[in-house]
Amino acid sequence: AAQARKYLPRQVVIGREELLPRLRDMLAGLPIETSAGASAIEQCVARDDVDTVVTAMVGYSGLAPTINAIRNNKCIALANKETLVVAGELITSLLRESDSTTHIIPVDSEHSAIFQCLEGETTEHASKIILTASGGPFRTLSAERLKQVTVADALHHPNWDMGAKVTIDSASMMNKGFEMIEAHWLFDCPASKIEVVVHPQSIVHSMVQFADGSVKAQLGVPDMHLPIRYALGYPERLHTSQPPLSLEQYSRLSFEAPDTDRFPLLRYAFDAIEAGGNTPCVLNAANEIAVSAFLNGRLPFVEMPGLVAATIEAVAYSPHTDYDTLVQTNAEARAKAEEILTIL
């Protein structure tokens, strides 16, 4: 309501329908349409006066609105990586069938960097995508010490200020696994040509290596203003009053390989995209339950990978990636994960 009073949008939609009367009271007298619920969100993105949809909802909830936006020929500024994790094949198929002006501009800093590195290049000349990862707050902790970490520890990210779900995913490196799957679909690149490197300073946002051996990198301060501004202004670059990157501040930039023994969720993401079908959907659903359980004190940090692996094993594989199959898979995976959680 505070944001609406400040910016006076034409419409405000919230998820929880029981809070709609309260919202309407808080915005009484203002020329703002108010509504609530999942169907209202899907209808909002289809408005005739909307040309670009910034999809920044967390997790699976962003899938249906993004699909409806594409079906209504809106351009997508994608900040919801789970949409492509769960339904990458479906989304890319819908984009091919949509109006020629409909496209996705990535907002995640890593994918924005890759997108910028590929500008003016052909994907045939790109030999490898290099996704950088901060390593999160637990990068240097031993496996034994990881058993003792708390929710407060996990939410204390060294470089980025993010919501709880993404911050926990960063701590477990599941976030980077999701970003690998997203890159696979966004840039039509096989997972075998996507490399993850840990870059603790978060200044190099990602890189692309080309057939001639050269590497392009996009650098910037660890701040989401830049990729958001780039997506909203594309193909123009919008001016900013924010201070630019000063390389003198970062005289040392380091890179190292990720440790998939301590952070196996990253490895599970590569396994899931190789398996294909509904497996990435199961991976995402199980991870959402695992993160929620960790945040609520129901599951230790080090047991999240076990819950995800057990759920993938328990849910039947389907090669189909149509919307109805994915909805059914998501529901089944969540139920299985909750069931497994009670016996862990």
Side-chain angles (χ1 to χ4, degrees):
Q3 292 182 59
R5 285 194 296 268
K6 180 175 180 180
Y7 296 107
L8 296 178
R10 293 179 183 139
Q11 183 177 4
V12 172
V13 185
I14 58 173
R16 292 171 58 184
E17 297 183 40
E18 71 273 16
L19 294 179
L20 184 57
R22 183 178 169 197
L23 176 68
R24 285 178 171 159
D25 288 342
M26 298 172 80
L27 299 180
L30 295 173
I32 300 174
E33 180 185 343
T34 55
S35 50
S39 62
I41 297 171
E42 292 180 44
Q43 292 165 18
C44 181
V45 302
R47 289 175 59 121
D48 290 339
D49 55 356
V50 168
D51 49 42
T52 298
V53 176
V54 181
T55 60
M57 297 171 70
V58 175
Y60 178 85
S61 62
L63 176 59
T66 304
I67 288 175
N68 206 39
I70 294 172
R71 284 177 172 158
N72 283 274
N73 298 318
K74 311 300 184 183
C75 292
I76 310 296
L78 186 67
N80 170 252
K81 61 180 64 66
E82 289 87 353
T83 290
L84 287 176
V85 170
V86 170
E89 187 173 351
L90 174 61
I91 294 296
T92 52
S93 175
L94 289 172
L95 284 169
R96 285 194 297 269
E97 297 166 3
S98 66
D99 185 281
S100 60
T101 61
T102 303
H103 55 269
I104 289 179
I105 304 294
V107 171
D108 271 347
S109 63
E110 295 83 357
H111 302 90
S112 175
I114 296 163
F115 187 88
Q116 293 179 61
C117 289
L118 288 171
E119 280 286 273
E121 305 281 359
T122 62
T123 53
E124 291 79 10
H125 290 159
S127 58
K128 182 165 63 173
I129 285 174
I130 305 169
L131 276 173
T132 56
S134 69
F138 303 145
R139 178 177 64 88
T140 61
L141 294 191
S142 66
E144 195 61 34
R145 177 68 182 87
L146 281 174
K147 296 177 183 178
Q148 304 163 18
V149 300
T150 65
V151 171
D153 295 332
L155 290 174
H156 186 64
H157 196 281
N159 300 335
W160 295 94
D161 182 12
M162 306 175 288
K165 165 67 165 57
V166 179
T167 305
I168 300 304
D169 283 344
S170 177
S172 70
M173 292 205 72
M174 183 77 270
N175 196 47
K176 208 51 53 177
F178 285 161
E179 288 176 5
M180 178 276 298
I181 296 175
E182 185 180 5
H184 163 74
W185 293 111
L186 277 174
F187 307 111
D188 191 22
C189 181
S192 60
K193 292 187 176 181
I194 303 175
E195 178 184 351
V196 174
V197 297
V198 175
H199 169 52
Q201 296 82 16
S202 297
I203 297 301
V204 177
H205 293 298
S206 275
M207 298 171 272
V208 176
Q209 186 175 73
F210 294 93
D212 62 357
S214 64
V215 175
K216 273 190 182 181
Q218 188 269 327
L219 283 68
V221 294
D223 185 310
M224 285 303 297
H225 283 87
L226 195 154
I228 294 170
R229 187 184 303 108
Y230 184 81
L232 293 179
Y234 183 82
E236 304 295 327
R237 286 190 180 268
L238 305 180
H239 290 281
T240 178
S241 59
Q242 293 182 290
L245 172 68
S246 171
L247 290 176
E248 291 82 359
Q249 291 179 266
Y250 302 96
S251 58
R252 184 173 183 179
L253 301 178
S254 59
F255 303 89
E256 60 195 56
D259 186 338
T260 55
D261 290 330
R262 284 185 300 139
F263 303 103
L265 287 173
L266 175 59
R267 185 173 70 249
Y268 295 172
F270 278 90
D271 294 341
I273 198 64
E274 183 178 352
N278 67 340
T279 308
C281 182
V282 179
L283 175 78
N284 178 73
N287 181 69
E288 288 192 12
I289 297 299
V291 170
S292 176
F294 171 64
L295 287 170
N296 293 315
R298 300 169 60 203
L299 186 70
F301 181 83
V302 293
E303 292 189 20
M304 289 198 300
L307 176 60
V308 172
T311 305
I312 293 173
E313 184 69 25
V315 176
Y317 172 80
S318 171
H320 304 296
T321 56
D322 59 278
Y323 183 70
D324 290 341
T325 298
L326 295 175
V327 169
Q328 181 181 342
T329 294
N330 177 67
E332 181 184 354
R334 288 171 184 275
K336 286 287 186 184
E338 288 285 3
E339 181 183 323
I340 295 166
L341 186 58
T342 63
I343 59 176
L344 282 178

